[in-house]
Amino acid sequence: MIPVNYLDLLRLAAPETVVLAGALVVLGVDLLALREVETGLRRLLLLILGAVTCGAAIAWMAAFPNLGNFMQGMLVVTPLTQWVKGGVLALAILTLLLSGGASFTNHWGEYVALLLLSAVGLMFLVSSESLLVIFIALELASLSLYILAAFHHDAPESAEAALKYFLFGSVSAGFMLFGLSLLYGLSGSIDLREIAAALGGPFLDPLLAVAMVTVAVGLGFKIAAAPFHLWAPDVYQAAPPPSAAFIASASKLASFFVLAKVLSVGMGGLEGRAVFGDYLPGWVPLLAALAAASLLWGNLAAIVQTNVRRLIAYSAIAHAGYMLLGIMGGKAGLPALVYYAMTYGFTTLGAFGVASLVRDRVGGDNLSDFAGLSRREPWMAFCMLVFMLSLAGIPPLAGFFGKFYLFAAALKTSSLDLLWLVILAIGMSAVSLYYYLQVLKQIYVVPPPSGLAAAPIPSLPKTVIILAALTVIVLGCAPNLLLRVLAAP
Amino acid sequence: MTADLLFYLFAACTLVCGFLVIANPFSLNPVTSAMFLVLTMVFLAGLFVLLHAFFLAAIQVLVYAGAVMVLFLFVIMLLDLKAEERRRLKVFGITTGLIAVGAILFIFLNTLAQAPLGASTTPELEGTTMALGKLLFTRYLLPFEVVSVLLLVAMIGAIFLSKKELK
């Protein structure tokens, strides 16, 4: 029998435990103490309780940085995973506060609890190197997100989007489980490092290729890479805005991290080569194909969108393509990938926030509904300017440096193998400027429709949007603040 | 020898019943499919018994053939599946399905041809209830606990989504 130190487990999993306890407290308090409280106050109290819980978990990680490895990779805590978990929690806090002015539901207890539980799933996902925990954590996070996407009780399109998300998600989870079982069968272990050791050299047997492809299908769905992206436009457009923002930001950050981990740790040595004429099967050619498809499809389809949230969805698919470049950069690309995914998370979250405000005011989030936003809400318009330019990758903003480091990491790997893909990515990011500027043209050039009365916007979402914009600007001007700690061994 | 015979019997029955779940030439009734799913589960339990995993076999019958199938039938009765019964097979679905199955079959056969089957010794199996329980509370404690959170989420979700107006 293997001796287990339960205290060790508790110490390593303390941040997750704090958030989980917070979720249960939220459910309990909502049920026992807040039933008779008026909705607005109830929402505020629960959201603050949730945000404080996430804050407490971040504070715990900062105060007691316990590092270690529990039970051969079941739970592996390193400084990098701590930072990624911190990013997930920060995005969760912003999502919670972003819901401050929303009115899509009356069941705030369940909403906050599910958001916290999905954060717990994402945190376990980040810090495990065991196939079993990775799969279960992925399902925990996904299941909570499906429900969050369906939270708009009165809107049939929210339910439809959630159903699509759920069906796609369960099928791809099936694929992934199939691939993981093959990996286990081939290597006899569920620990990523032992799998890498058992699989050994660059020889790729067909069964391993199947395992690789099915795992890529499962995680490709989570990161919304083409051709597994079909759910994203509907969910981004129809789910309640804060839920969509969380799906687009925190879930993406954690999923990219776990994809990078599974491939570079669990299948290290099976990279292969994606060069014309000198092709070697492995996961780099696989990801290169996914990245090229995402870059092309995401950017080209975004051009014709008339709905801003749908446009952000297609741009998210394109950004998945950029981020896949970071995974192909191997271990050296990991800090660049995490930096990009984090700043991208803040940017999309802010953009969803602005879209949600416009929707509350004008009644829709089509491009034309943004007309003249700069005259009605100069600050919100400026924040949207920051987000859009950062997504397009314009210099002093975080998006530019994110892309720069990703491309550099992809080129540094092995003698310019991926040059063709980087050139494609740079070309496509020039294309993307077109549709981001379309949004800004509506905001700054087109005159506002007459008859819209000025009304105060709720202060919580406004603060969140300004905070997100500030983060994007600060991390853009001083990328080393984050990159240095991420790259630290 | 008997074990081998039983293995082939159970495996063949599992495959045949599994096929009849998704493509029954005699009936398009979903309830018939569900019944064949029950049979598939039962034969799978037989396979587990042959592997000396008695606990898993019992769980397989109790949970899958029992509880989960009752739920399936319940859902089938709640949904109106007349359209499903009338549905004809589409050429597109059949072609793409056959291509996918063919590709996977090709890969598996390829691998089987390459792998030296029967060369390895039978591994020692830890299928007894006691061994399983010990593993669940030592090595697999973390996934075990995370699954319990997962079930909580499923419960909240089911209640929230299915109830029309809850306080």
Side-chain angles (χ1 to χ4, degrees), chain B residues 49-118:
Chain B
V49 171
L50 290 179
L51 286 170
H52 297 277
F54 302 112
F55 180 70
L56 263 188
I59 288 293
Q60 177 83 14
V61 173
L62 280 179
V63 176
Y64 281 95
V68 172
M69 283 317 300
V70 170
L71 202 69
F72 267 44
L73 287 174
F74 197 60
V75 170
I76 289 174
M77 282 175 201
L78 280 182
L79 299 174
D80 180 28
L81 290 173
K82 285 281 178 290
E84 189 69 21
E85 277 186 51
R86 281 195 302 273
R87 202 179 58 154
R88 291 276 76 104
L89 291 168
K90 297 238 171 59
V91 180
F92 178 74
I94 292 181
T95 358
T96 46
L98 280 182
I99 291 174
V101 170
I104 292 179
L105 205 64
F106 172 74
I107 292 169
F108 278 136
L109 288 180
N110 225 353
T111 322
L112 276 182
Q114 285 171 14
L117 278 187

Side-chain angles (χ1 to χ4, degrees), chain A residues 1 4 6 9 24 27 35 72 74 107 117 124 132 136 139-140 144 147 151 153 178 190 206-207 210, chain B residues 107-108 111 134 137-143 146-147 149-150 152-154 156-157 160-161 163 166-167:
Chain A
M1 206 178 114
V4 188
Y6 293 109
L9 175 61
L24 298 180
L27 275 180
R35 291 188 78 155
Q72 300 171 346
M74 286 284 172
H107 307 296
L117 288 172
F124 275 123
L132 188 61
I136 295 173
E139 281 311 286
L140 171 59
S144 323
I147 305 166
F151 232 85
H153 242 168
F178 185 58
I190 53 169
L207 214 51
V210 177
Chain B
I107 292 169
F108 278 136
T111 322
K134 274 186 179 157
F137 282 95
T138 53
R139 188 152 180 212
Y140 297 105
L141 178 68
L142 181 68
V146 181
V147 165
V149 182
L150 179 69
L152 174 71
V153 168
I156 299 175
F160 173 77
L161 292 178
K163 242 184 141 146
L166 68 175
K167 276 246 153 64

Side-chain angles (χ1 to χ4, degrees), chain A residues 471-482:
Chain A
T471 317
V472 173
I473 295 173
V474 169
L475 283 181
C477 293
N480 256 344
L481 282 182
L482 191 57

Side-chain angles (χ1 to χ4, degrees), chain A residues 259-272:
Chain A
L259 179 61
K261 197 164 55 181
V262 168
L263 292 178
S264 65
V265 177
M267 299 188 194
L270 294 164
E271 280 89 351

